[in-house]
């Protein structure tokens, strides 16, 4: 499958930068001068993916035909003996995104047109609202609703815990990876389960039911605890309850789903269709949360979403600030093309990020819009600007129970 024309890959570069947070960006250039960009960011393990791309994949791509996207995906996935895993799949994702970007530019069309064309005019996005008290959280949601959002995720500090996942620090936006070594947070499931129904009840009592309300359990509960919480939240008509239990055991969701009608979402830590196959085909979840950056790129993410559509499962692609604007664009293009779009997480980005990544998609009154006349993924990267923001080691926190033992973060 070696190329010989203008679409032949002649150069592969990896750009590691930290404009507000760390990003790993792949640049692929063809003989004809077309440049494609891909996102390979893996929060807290960025350099592992950068090395995988530089030291193991780059040489394999040189001389290949960039138009053979599906075959190159299989070559990078099936070729090596060691498959899957977050590092490998993030690297493959970046290659795949860059190839789709090139394909769109060669055709003079946005990627969503290559995927079948526009299925909707805009994408419903959801931001994160949080507060150190219930009152602060309600006020935060109210602000988001005033900005035009139709869906909001809410988190609030759990009374009795020194820190709680998802809560902003001071006036800064929430960003969990911010220290040179991991923060150690404390956790109590009883305190959390006592508090969350009160939080959600207060939100609905004060703000009503005219918007979609989401909450993230962040893999903290057992299946039985998750089933109890889902049942408790049923009166409040949640849009979803996210990541209630560690996702390695897909069958655990059968117990949860059997005991609650609260919609369930999971998948942001998944990196292949096999991680969610049972969850989808058994209808144990309602939304699949994989990110295109971490689940094999557009090619593989499309397979996951097509499978999900057969079983009435909708998309809710992971969209934190550690998915770069390139990866976000890949999520967005898929969202516009697929029939089973649900919602797109959109945390936004630090101001510095816009100095490196120039994105053509835009947020308008809580919804994401995209142009018809921008080819490829619609994000360009300023490599010179990226050089002004060198990599800074940062870790996600770790989590310990009140007795000192480790717990899932």
């Amino acid at each position: 499958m070696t190329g010989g024309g203008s679409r032949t890959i002649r150069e592969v570069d990896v750009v590691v930068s930290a404009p507000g947070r760390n990003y790993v960006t792949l640049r692929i250039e063809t003989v004809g001068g077309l440049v494609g960009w891909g996102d390979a960011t893996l929060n807290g393990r960025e350099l592992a993916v950068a090395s995988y791309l530089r030291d193991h994949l780059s040489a394999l791509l040189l001389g290949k035909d960039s138009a053979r996207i599906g075959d190159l995906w299989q070559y990078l996935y099936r070729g090596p003996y060691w498959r899957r895993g977050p590092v490998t799949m993030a690297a493959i994702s970046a290659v795949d995104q860059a190839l789709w970007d090139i394909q769109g530019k060669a055709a003079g069309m946005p990627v969503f047109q290559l995927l079948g064309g526009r299925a909707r005019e805009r994408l419903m996005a959801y931001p994160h609202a949080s507060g150190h008290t219930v009152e602060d959280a309600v006020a935060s949601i109210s602000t988001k609703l005033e900005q035009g959002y139709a869906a909001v995720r809410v988190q609030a500090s759990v009374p009795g815990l020194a820190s709680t996942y998802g809560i902003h620090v001071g006036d800064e936006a929430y960003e969990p990876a911010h220290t040179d070594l991991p923060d150690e947070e404390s956790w109590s499931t009883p305190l959390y389960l006592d508090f969350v129904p009160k939080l959600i009840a207060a939100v609905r009592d004060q703000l009503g039911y005219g918007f979609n309300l989401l909450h993230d359990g962040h893999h903290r509960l057992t299946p039985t605890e998750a089933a109890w919480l889902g049942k408790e939240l049923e009166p409040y008509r949640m849009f979803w309850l996210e990541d209630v239990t560690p996702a390695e055991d897909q069958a655990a969701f059968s117990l949860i789903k059997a005991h609650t009608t609260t919609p369930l979402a999971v998948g942001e830590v998944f990196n292949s269709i096999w991680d969610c196959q049972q969850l989808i085909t058994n209808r144990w979840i309602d939304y699949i949360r994989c990110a295109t950056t971490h689940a094999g790129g557009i090619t593989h993410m499309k397979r996951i979403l097509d499978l999900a559509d057969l079983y009435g499962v909708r998309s809710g692609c992971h969209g934190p600030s550690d998915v770069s604007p390139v990866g976000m664009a890949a999520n967005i293009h898929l969202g516009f093309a697929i029939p089973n779009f649900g919602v797109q997480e959109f945390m936004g980005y630090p101001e510095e990020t816009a100095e490196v990544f120039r994105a053509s998609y835009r947020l308008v009154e809580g919804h994401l819009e995209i142009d018809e006349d921008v080819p490829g993924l619609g994000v360009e990267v300023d490599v010179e600007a990226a050089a002004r923001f060198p990599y800074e080691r940062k870790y996600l926190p770790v989590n310990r129970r009140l007795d000192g033992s480790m717990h899932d973060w």
Side-chain angles (χ1 to χ4, degrees):
M1 58 165 287
T2 301
S6 63
R7 299 289 298 277
T8 301
I9 296 171
R10 74 173 179 188
E11 192 172 297
V12 180
D13 297 306
V14 180
V15 179
V16 180
S17 62
R21 60 141 298 106
N22 289 321
Y23 297 112
V24 179
T25 308
L26 183 69
R27 179 184 183 275
I28 296 179
E29 183 175 352
T30 68
V31 169
L34 292 174
V35 173
W37 300 100
D39 179 23
T41 308
L42 189 62
N43 198 341
R45 297 294 183 270
E46 297 92 350
L47 297 186
V49 188
S51 173
Y52 194 98
L53 286 166
R54 286 191 182 116
D55 301 329
H56 302 289
L57 292 196
S58 294
L60 302 180
L61 297 172
L62 296 175
K64 298 296 194 297
D65 184 351
S66 66
R68 297 183 63 169
I69 299 175
D71 189 66
L72 268 172
W73 195 98
Q74 296 293 335
Y75 176 73
L76 297 177
Y77 180 84
R78 295 177 181 268
Y81 185 67
W82 307 107
R83 299 182 183 180
R84 298 168 63 178
V87 173
T88 295
M89 296 304 286
I92 293 176
S93 297
V95 174
D96 187 77
Q97 291 172 47
L99 295 179
W100 277 100
D101 194 22
I102 290 171
Q103 190 88 321
K105 290 171 178 175
M109 301 169 66
V111 167
F112 74 83
Q113 293 286 16
L114 303 182
L115 296 172
R118 186 187 291 271
R120 54 194 49 81
E121 297 306 313
R122 60 182 189 166
L123 304 183
M124 181 172 69
Y126 76 87
H128 296 182
S130 69
H132 294 288
T133 66
V134 171
E135 292 73 21
D136 288 345
V138 171
S140 180
I141 295 174
S142 183
T143 298
K144 302 299 183 184
L145 296 178
E146 290 171 1
Q147 294 170 353
Y149 287 98
V152 183
R153 192 193 85 169
V154 63
Q155 312 291 135
S157 297
V158 176
L161 295 181
S163 61
T164 304
Y165 163 79
I167 310 302
H168 64 86
V169 178
D171 295 329
E172 299 293 325
Y174 175 67
E175 172 50 66
H178 64 276
T179 54
D180 183 59
L181 291 173
D183 282 339
E184 292 201 2
E185 299 181 343
S186 58
W187 179 251
S188 167
T189 299
L191 291 177
Y192 171 79
L193 291 178
D194 180 61
F195 173 68
V196 170
K198 298 173 184 177
L199 167 67
I200 300 302
V203 171
R204 286 306 196 196
D205 286 346
Q206 296 182 48
L207 299 178
Y209 289 77
F211 66 99
N212 298 303
L213 183 60
L214 301 77
H215 176 72
D216 185 2
H218 218 249
H219 314 281
R220 304 292 176 91
L221 306 178
T222 67
T224 300
E225 292 163 347
W228 180 89
L229 179 59
K231 193 72 175 175
E232 287 292 300
L233 296 183
E234 284 179 9
Y236 308 111
R237 225 166 57 225
M238 302 293 292
F239 185 85
W240 77 36
L241 182 58
E242 176 186 340
D243 289 349
V244 284
T245 195
E248 289 92 339
D249 181 8
Q250 295 186 47
F253 282 80
S254 66
L255 186 153
I256 304 169
K257 197 64 175 174
H259 289 86
T260 181
T261 58
T262 294
L264 302 175
V266 74
E268 67 184 54
V269 299
F270 294 164
N271 51 71
S272 78
I273 196 169
W274 297 278
D275 294 325
C276 51
Q277 180 182 4
Q278 297 173 47
L279 289 167
I280 291 170
T281 58
N282 287 298
R283 295 186 170 91
W284 290 336
I285 59 172
D286 302 273
Y287 295 89
I288 183 65
R289 294 265 298 132
C290 306
T292 307
T293 293
H294 302 136
I298 292 170
T299 297
H300 196 66
M301 190 67 193
K302 181 70 161 55
R303 290 186 66 193
I304 293 172
L305 296 172
D306 285 344
L307 176 66
D309 187 42
L310 295 178
Y311 295 89
V313 176
R314 292 190 286 172
S315 72
C317 291
H318 194 210
S321 59
D322 53 89
V323 166
S324 88
V326 177
M328 178 61 68
N331 285 346
I332 290 171
H333 280 269
L334 278 165
F336 270 101
I338 61 173
N340 55 324
F341 172 79
V343 70
Q344 176 59 58
E345 180 179 24
F346 191 80
M347 283 181 65
Y349 295 96
E351 291 182 5
E352 304 96 317
T353 305
E355 297 183 38
V356 176
F357 298 90
R358 297 189 299 273
S360 62
Y361 63 77
R362 58 198 173 275
L363 184 71
V364 180
E365 296 183 342
H367 294 76
L368 290 159
E369 298 182 355
I370 199 166
D371 293 323
E372 299 277 352
D373 58 353
V374 179
L377 289 174
V379 180
E380 297 300 323
V381 180
D382 187 331
V383 177
E384 292 184 2
R388 300 199 302 268
F389 299 97
Y391 168 82
E392 300 176 20
R393 186 177 72 182
K394 293 183 180 179
Y395 283 94
L396 293 168
V398 298
N399 206 24
R400 292 187 183 273
R401 301 180 184 90
L402 298 183
D403 67 1
S405 59
M406 287 296 299
H407 191 57
D408 298 286
W409 184 76

